[in-house]
Amino acid sequence: MSKLRSSEITPEELYRSRRAFMRQTGALAAGALILSACGGTTADTTTASATTTAVVDPPKPGTPAEPSTPYEAITNYNNYYEFSTDKEPVAALARNFTTKPWTVAVGGFVAKPKTYATEELLQRFPVEERIYRHRCVEGWSMVIPWQGFPLRKLLAEVEPTAQAKYVRFTTISRPQEMPGQHDSYYSWPYVDGLRLDEAMNDLALMVTGLYGKPLPPQNGAPLRLAVPWKYGFKSVKAIVKIDLVAEQPTSLWMTASPDEYGFYANVNPNVPHPRWSQSSERRIGETSRRKTLLFNGYAEEVAQLYTGMNLRTSF
Ligand code: MTE
């Protein structure tokens, strides 16, 4: 793990305001590393154990009243195990990550496999702003103004064939720039997937920007997924390969801890993670906890994907 302190690479004023912000929000709560919801360690000590704080009612799903989480928090409180299993060092460790040139190969069971350069994707698919709730299985959440284009548009262009039932996303392998990829505990590269009909849902977004700026490396530049009704670990960063496949993909987390991480990972307050309740969450920037919503508040858009499925067993 790098011994670089963020104070050494961040302008002093920015550094101080960030520290103050993180301290205020509890993001820097010291000590007590707990085994991470994502399988490693995390310093989010205020997750499910913070039962003494009040739980406030959430606004109605879709209510646009929720303020976006500050840019500073979105870009400095990151889960990105290729760089570090701790959140705070990620931004500094990812700062010089090479994101140009970059291509993503879309293949598998498709009629028109194609490798796209990022520039071509941006030309081909108009970029939209989508403000999404982002809920990590560790029990924290944010509201993020992403820019990107719907995944369904990219998939339609390559024409999935009848055998295609799932979509598998693969992160780049680059251990020379990603120190975490030397940690043999995890089965690199990071992989996760969606059922094809989930991937075709309009909410599934290929993200290229944040707050109107290019996506920073720590948030998955140049191209990451946002699947807002699922826990954050499904939103794969730094994607280089998208394969249409016949069998349900096995994700990095399913391999690392099969009892804790299933394929679906839909946000569900009624199905606790084996080590944490998922009934409430801490919105970064707030002190009290709020109730977690089924499908992270996107039931109207996605509940029909799971008709007839037992959401307790298909976690
Ligand atoms: N993608 C890759 N390649 N590597 C990761 O470690 N972490 C996941 C997801 N995508 C991860 C990843 C997890 S656990 C979460 S919560 C989100 O990214 C965090 O996204 P953010 O840092 O933009 O908030």
Side-chain angles (χ1 to χ4, degrees):
M1 222 55 62
S2 168
K3 296 285 181 287
L4 257 189
R5 288 161 50 93
S6 47
S7 56
E8 288 163 12
I9 51 97
T10 312
E12 191 63 14
E13 200 181 316
L14 194 63
Y15 171 75
R16 284 189 194 289
S17 63
R18 182 165 72 80
R19 295 291 290 195
F21 172 80
M22 301 292 267
R23 203 174 299 115
Q24 180 199 333
T25 58
L28 280 185
L33 285 177
I34 52 176
L35 243 129
S36 161
C38 286
T41 55
T42 176
D44 187 17
T45 53
T46 54
T47 52
S49 58
T51 46
T52 47
T53 47
V55 174
V56 293
D57 278 333
K60 281 204 172 71
T63 308
E66 296 176 82
S68 292
T69 303
Y71 184 82
E72 276 297 297
I74 298 171
T75 57
N76 286 289
Y77 190 71
N78 300 106
N79 273 335
Y80 204 165
Y81 279 45
E82 284 85 342
F83 290 98
S84 172
T85 52
D86 293 328
K87 293 173 177 60
E88 217 206 330
V90 170
L93 290 170
R95 196 164 61 118
N96 296 319
F97 180 63
T98 310
T99 57
K100 273 184 201 162
W102 193 277
T103 56
V104 54
V106 191
F109 290 119
V110 296
K112 297 182 174 167
K114 186 170 170 166
T115 297
Y116 295 84
T118 337
E119 294 76 13
E120 188 181 357
L121 289 174
L122 288 169
Q123 267 171 11
R124 251 187 144 73
F125 306 110
V127 166
E128 327 173 1
E129 174 161 274
R130 299 278 185 95
I131 303 175
Y132 283 163
R133 285 180 288 274
H134 175 58
R135 167 66 156 83
C136 181
V137 73
E138 293 165 346
W140 54 265
S141 63
M142 299 188 186
V143 176
I144 306 187
W146 300 116
Q147 284 79 48
F149 57 87
L151 171 64
R152 65 178 168 78
K153 292 192 178 176
L154 175 59
L155 296 178
E157 194 167 277
V158 295
E159 299 180 11
T161 62
Q163 289 131 295
K165 302 282 185 249
Y166 296 88
V167 188
R168 186 177 62 215
F169 303 87
T170 308
T171 294
I172 197 164
S173 279
R174 199 186 279 161
Q176 66 278 25
E177 288 192 19
M178 295 173 133
Q181 286 186 336
H182 294 288
D183 180 351
S184 58
Y185 177 80
Y186 296 103
S187 54
W188 308 109
Y190 195 103
V191 165
D192 215 310
L194 297 171
R195 226 170 50 196
L196 181 56
D197 57 345
E198 297 180 312
M200 293 300 285
N201 186 281
D202 187 60
L203 288 182
L205 194 71
M206 294 304 300
V207 170
T208 56
L210 173 63
Y211 263 107
K213 302 175 195 195
L215 193 64
Q218 62 268 38
N219 293 94
L223 193 66
R224 62 91 59 85
L225 193 60
V227 195
W229 71 96
K230 294 178 180 282
Y231 293 115
F233 65 85
K234 299 293 287 185
S235 293
V236 179
K237 295 177 172 181
I239 295 169
V240 287
K241 213 151 90 72
I242 300 177
D243 290 302
L244 283 282
V245 295
E247 307 292 334
Q248 182 175 290
T250 304
S251 69
L252 174 139
W253 294 117
M254 290 161 75
T255 304
S257 193
D259 296 338
E260 296 189 338
Y261 301 105
F263 175 76
Y264 282 95
N266 291 317
V267 174
N268 190 336
N270 308 312
V271 178
H273 178 277
R275 287 180 281 133
W276 295 284
S277 157
Q278 294 295 343
S279 64
S280 71
E281 66 202 57
R282 183 173 64 88
R283 179 68 51 83
I284 297 295
E286 294 179 356
T287 45
S288 53
R289 295 180 73 83
R290 51 172 68 214
K291 285 179 185 162
T292 287
L293 302 170
L294 182 62
F295 299 117
N296 203 21
Y298 298 99
E300 208 173 292
E301 291 88 347
V302 301
Q304 80 283 354
L305 292 168
Y306 309 103
T307 308
M309 263 177 63
N310 183 336
L311 297 177
R312 284 194 174 273
T313 50
S314 302
F315 61 89

